[in-house]
Amino acid sequence: MSLSRSEEMHRLTENVYKTIMEQFNPSLRNFIAMGKNYEKALAGVTYAAKGYFDALVKMGELASESQGSKELGDVLFQMAEVHRQIQNQLEEMPCPASCSGSMCWS
């Protein structure tokens, strides 16, 4: 009789684990998919920010060459410097514990 009680407890335990896994796995898959989407979005933002910075520097260079727009060039260079400082600060931040290492701040 104790064997059947043990078997019953084993069956109940397996059912509990099975139920937990059936409910947990879809959420885990969704979490992983959202993490991948976040990583792609962050890569896109990083790419766009670099393009913005490069364009800002180029416009500053062009504006600095002209006497009439030298002040504009100076302002654009100042904006580029602030952007560079922000990027440097982001790169100095420690990688979050959830980061896979393949895509972080840089």
Side-chain angles (χ1 to χ4, degrees):
M1 182 145 194
S2 70
L3 185 58
S4 72
R5 176 99 172 121
S6 174
E7 288 174 356
E8 179 67 18
M9 289 300 291
H10 178 71
R11 187 182 65 75
L12 288 172
T13 302
E14 279 187 342
N15 284 340
V16 167
Y17 287 150
K18 182 179 175 185
T19 301
I20 289 171
M21 290 307 291
E22 286 173 353
Q23 293 173 0
F24 182 72
N25 278 341
S27 295
L28 182 59
R29 281 190 209 105
N30 187 38
F31 177 74
I32 291 170
M34 291 298 146
K36 288 179 181 180
N37 288 341
Y38 176 77
E39 185 176 11
K40 287 178 187 176
L42 187 58
V45 167
T46 302
Y47 180 77
K50 174 141 178 37
Y52 172 79
F53 174 74
D54 292 344
L56 201 56
V57 169
K58 183 67 174 170
M59 288 186 341
E61 289 171 351
L62 292 173
S64 291
E65 293 172 2
S66 166
Q67 192 62 24
S69 57
K70 183 162 178 20
E71 287 183 32
L72 175 61
D74 292 342
V75 169
L76 291 171
F77 278 130
Q78 289 172 2
M79 289 173 61
E81 177 60 22
V82 169
H83 185 275
R84 187 189 63 76
Q85 290 173 359
I86 291 170
Q87 282 300 116
N88 287 342
Q89 288 175 359
L90 283 175
E91 290 172 3
E92 290 172 3
M93 289 178 66
C95 185
S98 60
C99 179
S100 64
S102 62
M103 176 67 194
C104 208
W105 305 120
S106 56

